[in-house]
Amino acid sequence: MMSFKQAKYDEPFIKDLQSRTTFETVSEDYDEGIVPSVMLNKEPKVPVIAEYDVVRHFTRLSQMNYSVDTGFYPLGSCTMKFNPKYADKIASMPFFSEMHPLRPEWSVQGTLQVMFELQEYLREISDMDEVSLQPLAGAQGELTGVLLIRKYFELRKELSTRREIVVPDSAHGTNPASAAMGGFNVVEIPSNDKGTVDLDALRYAVTDKTAAFMITNPNTLGIFDPNISEIAEIVHSKGALLYYDGANLNAILGITSPGLMGFDVVHFNLHKTFATPHGGGGPGAAPVAVNRKLADLLPGPIVRKGESGYYLDRSNNKLGNIASFYGSFGVLLRAWSYIKRNGSDGLKMNSYRAVLNANYLAKKISNDVRISHPGLKKHEVVASSEESGKRALDIAKFIIDAGMHAPTIYFPLIVKEALMIEPTETVTKKDLDDFADLIHEAVTSTQEELHKHPVNTASGRLDEIKATRDLILKR
Amino acid sequence: MLDYDQSMLDYLGIKDFEGLFSDISPKIRKKKLNLDPHCSECKLLQEATMLSESNRFDEYSNFLGCGVYDRIIPSSVDSIVSRSEFLTAYTPYQAEISQGMLQSLFEYQSIISDLMGMDAANSSMYDGPTALGEAARMAVRINDRKTILIPDNIYRNKRNILINYCAGLDVRFKEYSFDMKTGMLDLEDLSGKIDGDVSAVIVENPNSYGVIDENVLRVKNVIGDSLLISYVDPISLGVLKPPGDYGSDIAVAEGQQLGIHQNFGGPYLGIFTYRKELARKSPGRLIGETTDTTGRRGYVMTLQTREQHIRREKATSNICTNQALMGVAALAYLATVGPSGLRKIALATIHQSAKLRQIVSGNKKVQSNVFSGTSFSDVPLLIQSDEEKLNQTLRNNKIFGGVKLDRIIQNRYDRLKNAFFFSTTEKTEETDLMKLKHALEAV
Ligand SMILES: Cc1ncc(COP(=O)(O)O)c(C=O)c1O
């Protein structure tokens, strides 16, 4: 393995860079007399910094930030795959990036074509009937889905009785949070010993009070639920709907689909499966797809192809809109690029390799940490460090100190000392072997040794309790 | 399949790729992925270039605005947010290896709350309107009341988002009206609608008529202990009093104007600020300052117990992925243009809007002084023409603009039936204005 030492600057706080402004915005000095005097503010509170210092400041800060372009980033559930550079190039083409959202349709045909094609691709990939590109990230896709479900039952005059949304205990936090935000009571059901949905618990939980069951498949343990068709039947037999959290789609592109599994509503995380960059926390994009039952409820305009070109169809959107315009086009465009570049063969191969890597790594580490549930994995593997006597947190700090990103830790909640590892398809066998070696080293180190890490990173272990206590949110 | 793959499959004792999917029943296997096969990067770039070029209308003057604006973006901003250490990272879950993003976001919180005149900011929401939706939810969480007062001219899309974001709450929206003379909010009407059930009052500045609304300064005095939520244009804060100055409890904004490309609707930036004591009720990620084991200053995500990954259905919001990179763009933008630049940009905008009003004032078919209030960016003109004809005229004259008011606003006032918006920025030039004057002479 390469040795690792992250840049470690005593980078000043931005306000301490005060010098002079060098960037010229507007040359003319306009009179402030035009501003209604009661509203006039003499000067906005913004720091005064030379442009070159701004660039240097952020360049140095960036060097203190680990990224996919720096190295292996097996952060479970986040699909931190390589973000292709052609997509950056396309997203910065000025006649895409400079388009105002209220431009007349005839003047943005290229943009509308991209959106139309992306809708079609996502329909084909998911085997669903209609797609809205509007939602801005996974959680907003979920909220959209929940509101669609709400609207569906409202129109059927069943909303007053269908007050519950069921989620498995392995669900991502956004699932129950979105269900609650949409006004539903959340009913959590336990997973069985295989890590999948306990059918008896499901039969018990799903009643005529249930609006929907929200799951992801493969689930957050990386396991494909073999009973998915039966699950769909149980849910539908009670008149409820089935929601697909598409965060884990990367394992199954071209192999199966939410439509084939019997789902009614799906969101895609374009920033995961379709390789759009995560931006240090965002932006993302999460189109929502539905089957016929819900098609005319979808929010936002849908792009259609007519005789004289592409246009925005607003006729059906009973949900109004969930974001201002048509979604994060800059992100949609990157996903479009990725799908076109990879094509039917490439997308499927990516799923193959993502799954191969996850299973390979699962076996490699299985002597050092307990794999949460035996058997085939899909996009990721969840291990527990409990039996090694080492805390997941300490292992994570050991890993980052060696120049790899740590897995997601302490999630899913049903696995103690969880290490959730998603290698994705864009890593080499050597990356996986090196990572497995690190896990081995970590669990065979002494507790004392582990506690010393990290030392090669821009900062040593940080005191989170102090942060909460002092609550310094600005300076 | 490559030997490389085969050696890994051999290690697993699995024959081929398909063997990795034996857990998926043939009944639900996809027969065929019906997309074109892959194409080369070179071909993809050609096709993308061709499509983008089809959007190209070089000689057009731009008067589109209404929430999204074509403003100066310093090249440094693009350069900074293109750094792949920022671009290809994710949420800084491992703080020690992510100090760059954490410090940037802490600085964003600092600079944005200063700009807004507020105590604290979160590290970003999706966009302005969804930030407003979250603000309404936060207000209800704070005082558990059931009415939100909103301007009757609020953009349709914002209204829809408010309704959708509050669908799960037992909340009503009531509207207050506008003074048709000044174009400012009607304080009397607003105060008459205040009662013990009003959780919050939403005000906008500039308001949805594009008017710098002087009456927002007096709202806090007439709403008792209801909360004040302000929605502002951050560029306007180059010369206008910030929402903290007029008693806002929560203040939100669309941050697109701060160095973010128009991108046909996104990604943008939801700015979300509040009084500090409300922090525990607030949505979204927060970065806090702390120290490491050696006593050095450092940054971590904090108050995470409000968030979905810990609090699940009791979380203050479901937001997870946010708009961190756009926050960095806004921060880099503000730092680059500085206070003097921001002020000039805001002043130039107001001046261009005034010029626009003045330049078409001689036209008998156009009424440019729709309101006595000062326009910021968006200037409504009453034009004696139907929409289609006007659009055709504008197209013939190579102008983008003229968004019909009742397309974006659920209009209550007869007088504004023929209102169309023309918006300016610091990039609007004399020649653009002359072109518009000429075009409107032809309606
Ligand atoms: C399983 C799962 N569901 C939902 C989400 C939420 O997606 P987003 O972060 O885009 O809102 C995530 C991602 O963090 C996830 O991993």
Side-chain angles (χ1 to χ4, degrees), chain A residues 249-264:
Chain A
L249 201 65
N250 200 42
I252 58 164
L253 247 62
I255 288 156
T256 177
S257 71
L260 292 171
M261 293 184 234
F263 284 88
D264 301 292

Side-chain angles (χ1 to χ4, degrees), chain A residues 74-367:
Chain A
L75 188 68
S77 208
C78 300
T79 318
M80 300 302 289
K81 61 168 83 175
F82 176 65
N83 308 133
K85 302 305 166 191
Y86 56 77
D88 293 345
K89 202 163 178 175
I90 292 170
S92 57
M93 289 178 175
F95 300 104
F96 281 133
S97 68
E98 308 288 2
M99 294 301 103
H100 191 284
L102 297 175
R103 278 268 290 255
E105 287 161 2
W106 58 263
S107 72
V108 283
Q109 286 294 302
T111 292
L112 294 180
Q113 184 175 334
V114 166
M115 292 168 65
F116 178 80
E117 289 181 1
L118 182 59
Q119 286 170 193
E120 294 295 300
Y121 297 162
L122 295 176
R123 269 179 3 136
E124 170 57 26
I125 285 164
S126 63
D127 290 301
M128 303 300 283
D129 292 320
E130 187 92 287
V131 176
S132 167
L133 301 176
Q134 197 170 51
L136 300 176
Q140 213 200 23
E142 292 169 22
L143 177 63
T144 305
V146 167
L147 295 176
L148 285 167
I149 290 162
R150 194 183 163 93
K151 192 55 116 191
Y152 174 80
F153 287 117
E154 189 185 311
L155 294 173
R156 294 167 66 96
K157 311 228 176 329
E158 293 178 48
L159 187 59
S160 57
T161 52
R162 295 200 183 262
R163 303 304 313 161
E164 294 174 357
I165 286 185
V166 181
V167 299
D169 55 4
S170 60
H172 191 260
T174 51
N175 293 185
S178 301
M181 218 166 147
F184 291 95
N185 301 321
V186 177
V187 177
E188 197 175 272
I189 57 166
S191 304
N192 61 24
D193 56 2
K194 297 190 182 67
T196 55
V197 174
D198 182 330
L199 292 183
D200 287 332
L202 183 70
R203 279 194 201 94
Y204 181 77
V206 175
T207 67
D208 53 8
K209 292 198 185 69
T210 308
F213 182 42
M214 281 179 104
I215 44 170
T216 172
N217 193 28
N219 65 19
T220 57
L221 295 162
I223 300 169
F224 191 88
D225 199 315
N227 300 318
I228 188 61
S229 300
E230 215 170 333
I231 291 168
E233 210 179 291
I234 293 169
V235 171
H236 289 143
S237 74
K238 296 289 180 188
L241 297 173
L242 193 57
Y243 184 97
Y244 187 81
D245 174 347
N248 300 335
L249 201 65
N250 200 42
I252 58 164
L253 247 62
I255 288 156
T256 177
S257 71
L260 292 171
M261 293 184 234
F263 284 88
D264 301 292
V265 194
V266 179
H267 84 259
F268 308 85
N269 289 64
L270 299 188
H271 45 300
K272 300 182 179 177
T273 317
F274 300 98
T276 74
H278 285 79
V288 166
V290 295
N291 59 21
R292 283 273 159 265
K293 283 185 227 174
L294 300 153
D296 64 347
L297 308 180
L298 277 179
I302 311 287
V303 184
R304 311 249 183 237
K305 193 174 175 177
E307 305 255 295
S308 55
Y310 297 93
Y311 66 98
L312 295 162
D313 178 7
R314 293 185 167 83
S315 60
N316 285 335
N317 56 350
K318 293 206 174 66
L319 205 62
N321 51 287
I322 190 83
S324 291
F325 297 100
Y326 329 107
S328 277
F329 176 75
V331 181
L332 303 175
L333 176 59
R334 287 179 145 100
W336 172 88
S337 309
Y338 175 82
I339 294 172
K340 265 202 130 57
R341 171 82 180 90
N342 282 276
S344 51
D345 50 335
L347 293 176
K348 196 166 174 181
M349 186 54 79
N350 292 347
S351 288
Y352 280 156
R353 293 213 167 102
V355 173
L356 175 60
N357 288 346
N359 283 285
Y360 178 87
L361 190 57
K363 186 166 178 193
K364 274 261 152 178
I365 59 174
S366 58
N367 289 329

Side-chain angles (χ1 to χ4, degrees), chain A residues 6-26:
Chain A
Q6 193 176 35
K8 181 174 188 164
Y9 300 107
D10 280 319
E11 185 56 31
F13 180 62
I14 195 161
K15 290 187 193 173
D16 297 333
L17 293 170
Q18 299 278 358
S19 55
R20 61 196 171 112
T21 295
T22 58
F23 184 82
E24 186 182 52
T25 47
V26 177

Side-chain angles (χ1 to χ4, degrees), chain B residues 52-96:
Chain B
S52 76
E53 287 291 324
S54 75
N55 291 336
R56 180 171 194 159
F57 290 90
D58 275 349
E59 359 35 311
Y60 275 66
S61 290
N62 179 46
F63 290 96
L64 291 168
C66 300
V68 178
Y69 302 89
D70 178 20
R71 296 195 174 277
I72 292 169
I73 300 180
S75 307
S76 296
V77 174
D78 286 332
S79 167
I80 287 164
V81 297
S82 303
R83 288 202 64 91
S84 69
E85 298 91 333
F86 289 140
L87 181 67
T88 73
Y90 200 18
T91 308
Y93 293 113
Q94 293 297 333
E96 297 84 358

Side-chain angles (χ1 to χ4, degrees), chain B residues 123-253:
Chain B
S123 69
S124 71
M125 306 303 271
Y126 301 131
D127 65 7
T130 63
L132 186 63
E134 292 274 15
R137 293 184 62 88
M138 178 169 157
V140 174
R141 201 178 304 131
I142 290 167
N143 59 22
D144 202 22
R145 298 183 193 172
K146 297 188 179 354
T147 304
I148 308 272
L149 265 188
I150 61 172
D152 71 355
N153 68 353
I154 192 167
Y155 291 158
R156 263 205 187 84
N157 61 19
K158 264 189 228 163
R159 178 196 300 263
N160 285 339
I161 290 165
L162 273 170
I163 291 170
N164 279 332
Y165 266 65
C166 294
L169 301 173
D170 180 16
V171 160
R172 282 181 298 277
F173 292 96
K174 263 200 213 160
E175 300 174 350
Y176 61 85
S177 58
F178 278 73
D179 177 347
M180 277 299 106
K181 219 170 119 260
T182 60
M184 299 180 200
L185 64 84
D186 183 336
L187 205 60
E188 213 167 297
D189 185 63
L190 190 160
S191 58
K193 286 176 173 146
I194 296 295
D195 60 34
D197 199 41
V198 175
S199 171
V201 178
I202 293 174
V203 301
E204 298 186 289
N205 193 33
N207 63 37
S208 289
Y209 294 145
V211 170
I212 297 174
D213 201 323
E214 298 163 36
N215 288 344
V216 298
L217 298 173
R218 298 192 282 157
V219 170
K220 186 71 178 179
N221 294 334
V222 302
I223 63 171
D225 61 355
S226 303
L227 298 166
L228 177 60
I229 300 175
S230 299
Y231 188 100
V232 300
D233 178 337
I235 291 289
S236 75
L237 303 180
V239 284
L240 301 187
K241 285 189 175 148
D245 279 18
Y246 40 91
S248 306
D249 298 286
I250 306 172
V252 298

Side-chain angles (χ1 to χ4, degrees), chain A residues 405-420:
Chain A
H405 201 281
T408 295
I409 50 175
Y410 302 109
F411 177 69
L413 306 177
I414 56 174
V415 176
K416 288 197 182 128
E417 300 298 331
L419 298 160
M420 186 194 215

